[in-house]
Amino acid sequence: MTGSAEGAERTPGRLAALLIDASAEAISAAGGYAGGVYLRSSTPGLLRLAVLEGLPGPLFRPWWRLHADRPFPVADAYRLGVEVVLPNATETMRRYPQFAAGLPFQFGSVYVPVPGDSTVFGVLTVLRPSATDATELLPVRERMARLAEELGAALEKLAHGDTSTVSWEGGPLCVRPPAGRAPSGRLGRFTWDPVTGRVTADDRLNLVLGRAAEESDGSAEAFARAVAPGDAERVLAALREAAGGRPPALPLYARAADGALRLVEVWGPYDDPARSGVRAVRGVVLEPGPGTVADAAADLLPDGVFCLDRVGTVVYANPRAAALLRRPRTELLGRPLWEGVPWLNQPAVEDHLRGALLSPDPVHFHVRRPSDPGRESAARPFGGDWLALSLYPGPDLLTCTLRPGHRMTDSPSGPPEALGVPETAGTPSLAPLYRPIVLAIALTEAVTARQVSAVVMRELLPAFGGRRLAIYLLQERHLFLAWEAGFPKGFLAPFDGVGLEERLPGVETLTSGRPLFFDSMQQLADAYPGIPLDATEGARAFLPLIASGRPVGSCILGFDRPRSFSTEERTVLTAMAGLIAHALEKARRYESEAALARGLQQALLPRRLSQHPLMETAGRYLPGTQGMEVGGDWYDVITAGDGIALVIGDVQGHGVQAAATMGQLRTAVRAFAVGDLPPDEVMSGTNRLLIDLDSGLFASCCYIRLDPVTGIARAAVAGHPPPLLRRPDGRTHVVDLSGGVVLGVDPQADYPVAELRMEPGAVVALYTDGLVERPGVDIDDGISALRVALARAGAPAARAGGRALAGVADRLTAKARHTADRPDDIALLLATRRITPLRRK
């Protein structure tokens, strides 16, 4: 996080304060229980979670960073600049199945882009209770949109004109949400001036601390000792972090001299209203008191009871809970649950905690306790006993009850065997943090080997902390490198094309069908003496890619540091390899079929355009990059009597059927045009033909019959985007045509004819919607952008022999040509009247 030179040292704190305040206001405005802000980072296309309010950060680590091209609501809101409203889990699953698979709980959510003057800084998001439909959330959307605009304006001001300085690196600030009710107990406030080191406490805080104001020397050290004698250094560290601009992870629980639990919160630095130019840290100390009536009653319950706040900190535990968890109450209170009870730090438990924090319904499950050496016996190892846990969500607290697992009739959960035991207590596996179903859903959307590899790089590697990926595909008993990322340049070249007889881990994992895991590069070198190694010392995993018993290739995962692979991780990675192999096999079949379809389409498009000495034409076609990459867009230039006909059309859909229908329509239009029929009759005849074909498809079309000598043009349109006309002086406008309905719908449809005139040097542009339509953007805006681009493209050198119109066509399609993800086909046809006739040789 950086800022301008004027206040570089203050910008991180100011940025954090802005984001925390905006998040808190959004949660309140939306009636939510959690929220946060994603900001862009210094890595292009990567968003980072800057603030997470109301949820424990460690439980949501897989969502700390997010690529803007992923099919997630945050990414869409940022990339498209639109609000995304998901009122309930059903709508979330329908629109974002990958996101819903990772968090399959009953909650609604709202995502609003944070706009700047010329950029989008990030996304403001709130999680809230489910709603019936999006109409219920209209007031929420309006309030959040205002908050996002105010935050964007504040970030623009913070950036002082250089918006690239507003970014976020690292993990999120995890803060407590606004309290749903006033805290019980005593609360006092304080202010600390980092320059003078003096702490000023109000009378209520002095009462909490049990001292008179004059009894303190005002120093931060004395204040910290008074608040928490045994935790003074933690309190001082929190003050220093806040003064440095990065608030500490909240809340901070500390113990008074009598052992009572105190909550300390600090914010800042802020401008001190009492003294101009002074930046002070402010905070509160809350003392719940020696024990409420409810706590005293809970202390006597036969079952264990403990409470977590919204960020996962244990704020209450009765004696029975401490006994069942085998942790002293002093080691539970004030700590995150996974620190106070390390053996609960396992992915299955974390998943249940996420469910209780995100949905209103109670969660019931079983968990196995680790062995207690002092109570084991040969007859019944204590490591085999279970605890039954129930989690009850609340607005501010999560109440948890636990009892011995033999009382299973009291719990609606399934058999305890549904929850496995981590191999080593306190050493959580990383594998289940990543749900296999998420990868499976993502792979269903990948149709080429390149897309499959990109999904693995984006989805699988981060879940296991990997940094390097290589995928080899088998062809004629040799392995060829299909994808690599993270390895030193050229390092993998010697392994490209190796035969199956080579003794290499990437080969042997495929020929044996067994995954190979190496905890370090030294372990790899010991197993394969002489094998080339890169500079890292990290671990390696070699996975066989086998689909339905057929070898497909091998996959290599690389890590920066040595690490071990638990049995659970090995199992999950092996299963993932099977999913990847099936996706690659499907991609191989798809690419073969797509090659045939592309050949069909190329055969149907015109190899050359009809020429006229007074005209110059240029056409461009770009296939979509989704699906079969073939569709029904076409263009043509046809000799029609003593003039020429300009045609462009778009058959609905993609694939071989759309391409075949396009070929039939192109042939029909050409036949009508060669007969020099009027434009309306050409449209009507083509419309009846498409209806007679009974293909179930419809098509749009624009047909212009032009007299090159007079420049008079007569046009008819069937549901197609309007043409553009650029005059010789550069003025460019949309040609207003009152066209008819699309072809293939109404056999009695009429297609009015409009007349226009092209001066020498003028350019007419016909195009399909793929060039002007983008998700989340009105098509009229796309047409306006194309009109501006045509105006700026410059007049073509339409003299004799000039070919400048081809350059104009290239410029108009340059952005689309370099876009890897084109959801639709693109066709463009340009025509201009020559200023000087082309001499025939």
Side-chain angles (χ1 to χ4, degrees), residues 447-532:
V447 293
T448 67
R450 174 182 169 275
Q451 291 172 342
V452 170
S453 302
V455 166
V456 175
M457 184 71 193
R458 187 182 66 222
E459 302 285 352
L460 181 62
L461 274 191
F464 290 84
R467 299 290 184 180
R468 293 167 172 77
L469 171 70
I471 292 180
Y472 288 84
L473 297 181
L474 180 65
Q475 185 177 354
E476 298 179 352
R477 293 189 59 80
H478 288 75
L479 286 172
F480 293 92
L481 184 62
W483 177 278
E484 67 169 306
F487 286 95
K489 185 176 181 180
F491 173 74
L492 296 177
F495 304 102
D496 192 13
V498 296
L500 295 186
E501 69 282 354
E502 298 286 343
R503 188 176 184 275
L504 294 168
V507 172
E508 293 190 354
T509 189
L510 179 62
T511 56
S512 68
R514 294 183 298 103
L516 302 175
F517 298 94
F518 302 95
D519 295 352
S520 66
M521 294 297 280
Q522 184 59 52
Q523 195 178 89
L524 174 61
D526 293 341
Y528 293 87
I531 187 173

Side-chain angles (χ1 to χ4, degrees), residues 203 250 382 458-459 469 526 531 541 578 640 642 668 700 795 825:
D203 291 339
L250 299 179
F382 196 71
R458 187 182 66 222
E459 302 285 352
L469 171 70
D526 293 341
I531 187 173
D642 58 356
S700 66
D825 304 345

Side-chain angles (χ1 to χ4, degrees), residues 267-402:
W267 307 276
Y270 292 93
D271 293 324
D272 191 338
R275 292 177 294 171
S276 176
V278 174
R279 304 276 292 173
V281 171
R282 287 180 280 176
V284 299
V285 176
L286 171 64
E287 186 175 84
T292 63
V293 173
D295 288 351
D299 283 350
L300 302 177
L301 290 176
D303 290 335
V305 178
F306 63 94
C307 298
L308 309 176
D309 67 7
R310 295 292 305 183
V311 294
T313 301
V314 180
V315 295
Y316 169 76
N318 72 353
R320 180 60 172 158
L324 290 172
L325 295 174
R326 299 206 189 99
R327 305 292 291 179
R329 294 175 78 181
T330 54
E331 295 184 17
L332 289 173
L333 297 177
R335 294 174 179 264
L337 178 63
W338 39 92
E339 290 182 11
V341 190
W343 57 268
L344 282 179
N345 188 13
Q346 46 184 289
V349 175
E350 292 179 359
D351 201 39
H352 290 302
L353 285 171
R354 281 192 288 266
L357 288 164
L358 293 176
S359 58
D361 299 323
V363 176
H364 310 278
F365 62 98
H366 283 78
V367 64
R368 193 195 299 265
R369 288 188 295 190
S371 300
D372 182 351
R375 298 182 60 184
E376 282 187 338
S377 67
R380 183 175 183 272
F382 196 71
D385 68 355
W386 294 81
L387 294 178
L389 274 74
S390 295
L391 310 178
Y392 299 91
D396 300 317
L397 294 176
L398 191 65
T399 302
C400 313
T401 65
L402 67 163

Side-chain angles (χ1 to χ4, degrees), residues 13-25:
R14 294 171 63 191
L15 177 58
L18 287 172
L19 301 181
I20 292 173
D21 289 347
S23 177
E25 291 182 26

Side-chain angles (χ1 to χ4, degrees), residues 724-734 759 762-763 787 790-791:
L724 302 176
L725 181 63
R726 185 189 191 280
R727 300 189 183 279
D729 60 4
R731 290 179 298 145
T732 305
H733 66 274
V734 178
E759 305 167 79
V763 178
R787 178 185 62 78
L790 179 60

Side-chain angles (χ1 to χ4, degrees), residues 543-837:
L543 308 175
L545 301 179
I546 300 174
S548 302
R550 295 187 301 274
V552 175
S554 58
C555 175
I556 304 172
L557 305 181
F559 301 83
D560 286 345
R561 293 184 295 273
R563 56 157 294 174
S564 59
F565 297 88
S566 67
T567 301
E568 192 172 17
E569 285 181 309
R570 294 176 185 228
T571 301
V572 171
L573 283 171
T574 304
M576 299 293 188
L579 292 175
I580 296 166
H582 279 281
L584 287 170
E585 184 73 1
K586 180 188 70 175
R588 181 178 291 175
R589 292 195 303 269
Y590 159 82
E591 289 171 346
S592 298
E593 296 169 1
L596 293 174
R598 283 194 294 270
L600 168 64
Q601 186 180 42
Q602 291 300 321
L604 294 174
L605 288 171
R607 293 184 178 274
R608 66 181 184 86
L609 302 178
S610 297
Q611 298 182 355
H612 191 284
L614 292 177
M615 296 295 298
E616 180 184 351
T617 57
R620 295 292 182 269
Y621 174 80
L622 300 175
T625 58
Q626 298 178 0
M628 291 293 289
E629 295 189 16
V630 292
D633 291 20
W634 91 94
Y635 61 85
D636 210 347
V637 178
I638 310 163
T639 300
D642 58 356
I644 64 169
L646 308 174
V647 189
I648 198 163
D650 182 2
V651 177
Q652 166 215 14
H654 298 83
V656 175
Q657 184 182 9
T661 302
M662 175 268 284
Q664 293 171 303
L665 293 186
R666 175 176 174 262
T667 301
V669 172
R670 176 169 279 272
F672 292 135
V674 169
D676 204 16
L677 295 179
D680 56 334
E681 294 185 27
V682 173
M683 288 288 99
S684 297
T686 308
N687 176 49
R688 287 191 294 272
L689 171 66
L690 182 56
I691 292 174
D692 291 342
L693 289 174
D694 195 23
S695 65
L697 301 178
F698 58 84
S700 66
C701 186
C702 180
Y703 181 93
I704 299 179
R705 200 282 188 188
L706 175 66
D707 184 342
V709 177
T710 63
I712 300 299
R714 303 181 72 238
V717 173
H720 200 82
L724 302 176
L725 181 63
R726 185 189 191 280
R727 300 189 183 279
D729 60 4
R731 290 179 298 145
T732 305
H733 66 274
V734 178
V735 179
D736 186 15
L737 300 176
S738 57
V741 298
V742 292
L743 306 175
V745 175
D746 180 7
Q748 306 301 324
D750 293 324
Y751 298 95
V753 177
E755 190 172 289
L756 60 146
R757 184 176 184 277
M758 283 185 64
E759 305 167 79
V763 178
V764 65
L766 308 182
Y767 52 93
T768 56
D769 55 8
L771 186 60
V772 294
E773 198 168 31
R774 294 290 180 273
V777 179
D778 192 281
I779 191 172
D780 290 337
D781 295 336
I783 294 174
S784 297
L786 180 63
R787 178 185 62 78
V788 172
L790 179 60
R792 293 175 176 174
R799 302 278 179 184
R803 296 294 299 161
L805 198 62
V808 175
D810 288 338
R811 287 193 290 276
L812 295 181
T813 56
K815 183 177 180 180
R817 190 181 304 109
H818 293 95
T819 299
D821 188 14
R822 291 191 298 271
D824 200 359
D825 304 345
I826 292 173
L828 173 69
L829 177 62
L830 302 180
T832 184
R833 288 183 68 199
R834 296 183 186 277
I835 298 174
T836 302

